[in-house]
Amino acid sequence: MPSQFGQPSPHSDSLEHDDWSTDPSSDFGNTLVPGIHLECLGAARLLRNGRPIPLPPRQLEILVLLALEPDGYTPEQLHAAVYGERAVSLNTLKADVSHLRRTTRGEIANRRYMLTGEVSCDAVDLLAAIEGGDLTSALWLYRGPLLPGSDVPGVERWRAHLDVGIRNAVLGSDRPEHAVAFGRRCPGDAAVHEHALLLLPRDDVRRAVVTARLFTARQG
């Protein structure tokens, strides 16, 4: 049974004092974004010209997989990525894809399932930022794990890929603001808080909140 689960924001060259998620210029949830946009980090929704399009969780999961795999899937590959070993007929998947094709106004190819039009996606932008070594942009984009309530095999693999990628980049960064910002999204990750404290100057006011996060993470 499908599980429930909920754009890129403008960014500057710095993440000053851990205020990156409340930047007043952020257009997240406020500006009408042209075209079709898929949000799937920390929450999930599909928008057309800034307006939400209702979709069942399963179809959002399928759309996310198509967005993250630009070369697409055969029907059998997509079935395995969505259902794994579950006894679900291929016709069920085809019906979901057919509904998505109507929703996106024909932006999904027929024989090999792939996106054929412009569908922007925050997870795709995050992946590009990680692969490009742009950690500041990656932290602006990262609002939480990919579809955190989903147990779809393909989504679980991509979730782990993105989380490991950004976490390793943060732990490899010598900029304390990166660890402080990521620690805000991952309060239970003691290693991230320890890294932040290692980098922060002794008189930095952010040490207090990071120390508190570390204490809580160790208690958990």
Side-chain angles (χ1 to χ4, degrees):
M1 182 175 182
S3 52
Q4 296 289 336
F5 40 71
Q7 120 182 119
S9 299
H11 57 269
S12 61
D13 293 333
S14 65
L15 299 171
E16 190 66 23
H17 292 293
D18 197 22
D19 62 356
W20 55 278
S21 65
T22 55
D23 179 73
S25 66
S26 171
D27 63 3
F28 181 74
N30 296 320
T31 302
L32 294 182
V33 181
I36 299 176
H37 180 70
L38 178 60
E39 295 174 357
C40 49
L41 296 173
R45 62 177 181 167
L46 181 67
L47 302 101
R48 179 183 288 115
N49 298 325
R51 302 184 185 281
I53 302 173
L55 274 183
R58 179 65 77 227
Q59 291 178 18
L60 280 166
E61 291 164 330
I62 292 170
L63 194 56
V64 167
L65 291 175
L66 294 177
L68 285 165
E69 291 285 358
D71 293 333
Y73 299 81
T74 65
E76 292 76 17
Q77 288 171 336
L78 186 57
H79 185 278
V82 174
Y83 296 107
E85 299 299 321
R86 299 172 190 168
V88 178
S89 75
L90 192 58
N91 286 335
T92 299
L93 175 68
K94 290 180 178 179
D96 280 330
V97 173
S98 178
H99 183 269
L100 277 173
R101 190 177 291 115
R102 292 193 299 272
T103 300
T104 60
R105 298 177 181 175
E107 302 290 5
I108 300 175
N110 281 306
R111 295 191 177 182
R112 185 174 180 86
Y113 295 149
M114 67 176 70
L115 296 179
T116 59
E118 293 296 325
V119 179
S120 64
C121 175
D122 55 0
V124 174
D125 294 338
L126 173 63
L127 180 63
I130 293 171
E131 292 179 343
D134 185 357
L135 184 52
T136 298
S137 292
L139 288 167
W140 274 104
L141 289 158
Y142 188 80
R143 298 181 179 277
L146 179 72
L147 301 183
S150 173
D151 61 357
V152 162
V155 171
E156 289 180 333
R157 287 192 292 271
W158 272 113
R159 183 190 303 139
H161 182 88
L162 294 171
D163 285 353
V164 170
I166 192 169
R167 182 179 187 272
N168 284 349
V170 167
L171 292 177
S173 172
D174 61 1
R175 293 177 57 181
E177 61 268 28
H178 288 158
V180 174
F182 190 62
R184 187 174 183 176
R185 293 296 185 197
C186 303
D189 195 329
V192 170
H193 307 319
E194 290 168 352
H195 186 59
L197 289 174
L198 183 66
L199 297 175
L200 285 169
R202 288 288 180 185
D203 59 349
D204 195 300
V205 296
R206 291 173 292 179
R207 292 186 67 87
V209 68
V210 174
T211 300
R213 291 174 184 168
L214 178 57
F215 175 81
T216 302
R218 286 175 172 171
Q219 294 299 307

